[in-house]
Amino acid sequence: SVFGTTFPSYYAMFAHRHMHDFGTTREQLLQVAVKNHFYGAKNPLALFRKEVTLEKAMGSEDVASPLQVFDCCANADGAACVILADEEITKEIAKKPVWLDGMGCATASMSVLRRPDLVGLPSAADAARQAYEMAHVGPKEIKVAEVHDCFTVAEIMAYEDLGFCARGAGGTMVEERQTWIGGRLPVNVDGGLKSK
């Protein structure tokens, strides 16, 4: 395209490479959609509040091979707000504040030509290392996670980039329901971008 690569095309490249390098399957990718739609159906603020079966997801139309409709989040308007304040102000404005123990920030080139590989997002791994170091924790101490799931492969790569499992084990992690409530590490149990 004269306008450059689209986001579905980028993530399709990531998915193809992940599948090639680690044997990740279409079913494993779509297990992310099944899980996130299951929880989205329970979230009154979600845009899509219907469960999706693996069979229905597998039968959806292609967007950018191997990604299909249910691998992709919708384009929709939304908003979020976080108010950051010091402890004294927080006590005045919040009944149940959330305390930040650590944070990280990193960026990387959009160009896939400059990336060391196509099976993860180096900036996510860098930001995670910074946050863990600041909070004096590691990935094993995380009890629940909200990760970026613009595409199903993005959530699987996030498991790996954040150290929740070994590189290449993200597909197995979701397939074994380790990322569901009751599993080892629930992820996107509000429905994620897939449903919200």
Side-chain angles (χ1 to χ4, degrees):
S1 162
V2 296
F3 299 109
T5 306
T6 64
F7 274 111
S9 299
Y10 271 119
Y11 281 90
M13 285 188 272
F14 297 145
H16 273 298
R17 194 68 213 191
H18 208 278
M19 295 167 88
H20 176 270
D21 287 1
F22 306 119
T24 306
T25 65
R26 292 281 313 115
E27 291 84 357
Q28 288 173 329
L29 292 174
L30 285 167
Q31 286 294 344
V32 171
V34 171
K35 173 184 65 72
N36 292 0
H37 280 275
F38 175 83
Y39 290 115
K42 299 173 182 334
N43 181 349
L45 300 177
L47 179 62
F48 300 111
R49 296 192 58 216
K50 290 186 180 178
E51 292 184 38
V52 174
T53 64
L54 182 60
E55 294 71 30
K56 180 173 181 171
M58 292 286 292
S60 65
E61 294 180 14
D62 287 336
V63 173
S65 177
L67 302 180
Q68 295 172 271
V69 168
F70 283 100
D71 285 293
C72 310
C73 72
N75 285 332
D77 291 333
C81 177
V82 174
I83 299 171
L84 298 176
D86 69 24
E87 189 171 352
E88 291 307 311
I89 293 173
T90 299
K91 289 176 182 177
E92 294 174 22
I93 64 173
K95 291 177 185 167
K96 291 179 79 177
V98 174
W99 302 105
L100 292 179
D101 291 331
M103 59 172 281
C105 183
T107 188
S109 170
M110 278 297 297
S111 171
V112 295
L113 299 174
R114 293 182 174 84
R115 294 191 179 205
D117 59 52
L118 296 179
V119 293
L121 302 176
S123 53
D126 290 344
R129 275 192 293 280
Q130 293 169 27
Y132 293 148
E133 185 177 312
M134 184 183 286
H136 304 291
V137 299
K140 289 190 168 134
E141 280 94 359
I142 305 304
K143 304 271 190 286
V144 65
E146 184 77 16
V147 304
H148 191 54
D149 65 326
C150 53
F151 299 91
T152 53
V153 70
E155 182 167 319
I156 286 174
M157 291 189 310
Y159 303 159
E160 299 168 8
D161 290 336
L162 299 176
F164 300 153
C165 65
R167 180 76 60 201
T172 301
M173 190 174 179
V174 69
E175 182 179 37
E176 292 177 350
R177 296 175 67 97
Q178 294 178 43
T179 56
W180 290 65
I181 291 175
R184 183 169 61 82
L185 175 63
V187 177
N188 289 350
V189 295
D190 61 351
L193 287 177
K194 280 293 297 118
S195 289
K196 292 187 309 184

